[in-house]
Amino acid sequence: MSRGAVRVLRLGAVPYAEALRVQERCVAAARAARGPAALAGPGAARGGPGGLPGLPAESVVLSEPAQPVYTWGLRGAPGAAAAAALRARGAALVAARRGGHITFHGPGQLLAFPVLDLRRRRLPLRAYVAGLEALVLRLCRRLGLGAARALPPPFTGVWMGDSKLCAIGVHCGNYITSHGLALNCCTDLTWFDHIVPCGLEGKGVTSLSHELGQHVAVSHVLEPFLDSFQEVFDCTLVSSESPGD
């Protein structure tokens, strides 16, 4: 049985901070849907902060960072000298409310921020992270990358050999998820040379373009990504033009 509808917001190429703002409005809508009116049916929003009546309470925000930015989660913030060096290269620096160390986001990368209600889905947080890995693995197989794999904990993400193809860093507050995954499609991987990506010494970073030997733009993977999302999270996706209030 399907677990309801999920609203899809395709932002295109936007600043990382804008994607975060849209995500926060979606989180507010998901929390508002927890009210008494939400009992009328799973997944249907009933209005409230950031919400639009009649649209699903759960969302997935898709974007491509328009400019280079380094972000870090609960640990791994760069020191003052390192931060100054990164800014000198033309990148912004942003602290994010997610797990994980420093990483890079920029053009050619698909950012997906699912805003899901894990309590309604009866889904433990670790199983949710495994679901994100599973959907990227399905996408990779659709694209012909059968060698892509997930590593056992404490590692997260999707890998090609010892190189990370997709990074995962999530936040969960009151069972509502935010942040999510960053899939390198045609990302300039040299940006990762200036950090220890995700705090993992001795590990590399790769992209779909590098692994497939051809240019793979973010737009090329959106539909197979969404197909994989529907399958893994057992939902129906509903497109929406508006990012909310």
Side-chain angles (χ1 to χ4, degrees), residues 77-128:
L86 294 175
R87 289 192 183 96
R89 297 183 183 279
L93 274 73
V94 177
R97 293 183 61 202
R98 59 164 174 82
H101 291 263
I102 192 167
T103 192
F104 170 77
H105 300 307
Q109 191 179 71
L110 171 62
L111 286 185
F113 295 159
V115 179
L116 303 181
D117 187 337
L118 298 189
R119 183 170 67 181
R120 187 180 69 82
R121 290 176 171 270
R122 298 190 176 100
L123 191 62
L125 182 58
R126 179 57 209 166
Y128 167 65

Side-chain angles (χ1 to χ4, degrees), residues 41-55:
R46 312 300 173 198
L52 294 176
L55 289 175

Side-chain angles (χ1 to χ4, degrees), residues 14-226:
V14 297
Y16 179 76
E18 181 176 339
L20 290 183
R21 285 193 293 270
V22 173
Q23 170 193 255
E24 288 307 309
R25 289 198 289 269
C26 291
V27 168
R31 288 176 177 163
R34 286 269 187 83
L39 299 176
R46 312 300 173 198
L52 294 176
L55 289 175
E58 295 183 309
S59 306
V60 56
V61 180
L62 304 177
S63 69
E64 177 181 358
Q67 295 92 23
V69 57
Y70 290 100
T71 74
W72 59 91
L74 301 179
R75 54 193 185 277
L86 294 175
R87 289 192 183 96
R89 297 183 183 279
L93 274 73
V94 177
R97 293 183 61 202
R98 59 164 174 82
H101 291 263
I102 192 167
T103 192
F104 170 77
H105 300 307
Q109 191 179 71
L110 171 62
L111 286 185
F113 295 159
V115 179
L116 303 181
D117 187 337
L118 298 189
R119 183 170 67 181
R120 187 180 69 82
R121 290 176 171 270
R122 298 190 176 100
L123 191 62
L125 182 58
R126 179 57 209 166
Y128 167 65
V129 172
L132 294 179
E133 292 169 340
L135 85 86
V136 175
L137 290 173
R138 286 185 182 230
L139 168 64
C140 287
R141 293 187 184 105
R142 281 184 158 101
L143 298 176
L145 287 180
R149 60 179 180 148
L151 299 180
F155 296 100
T156 60
V158 172
W159 300 74
M160 292 292 296
D162 284 333
S163 295
K164 185 176 280 191
L165 176 65
C166 176
I168 292 177
V170 302
H171 175 77
C172 187
N174 195 25
Y175 298 96
I176 303 296
T177 66
S178 56
H179 297 279
L181 63 85
L183 174 64
N184 296 323
C185 298
C186 55
T187 318
D188 179 356
L189 300 177
T190 62
W191 286 99
F192 290 96
D193 294 343
H194 313 298
I195 59 173
V196 179
C198 303
L200 298 175
E201 297 280 358
K203 299 291 186 181
V205 182
T206 190
S207 67
L208 291 173
S209 294
H210 178 78
E211 297 298 332
L212 291 169
Q214 62 187 52
H215 182 74
V216 181
V218 170
S219 59
H220 296 158
V221 306
L222 286 178
E223 293 307 322
F225 178 89
L226 292 173

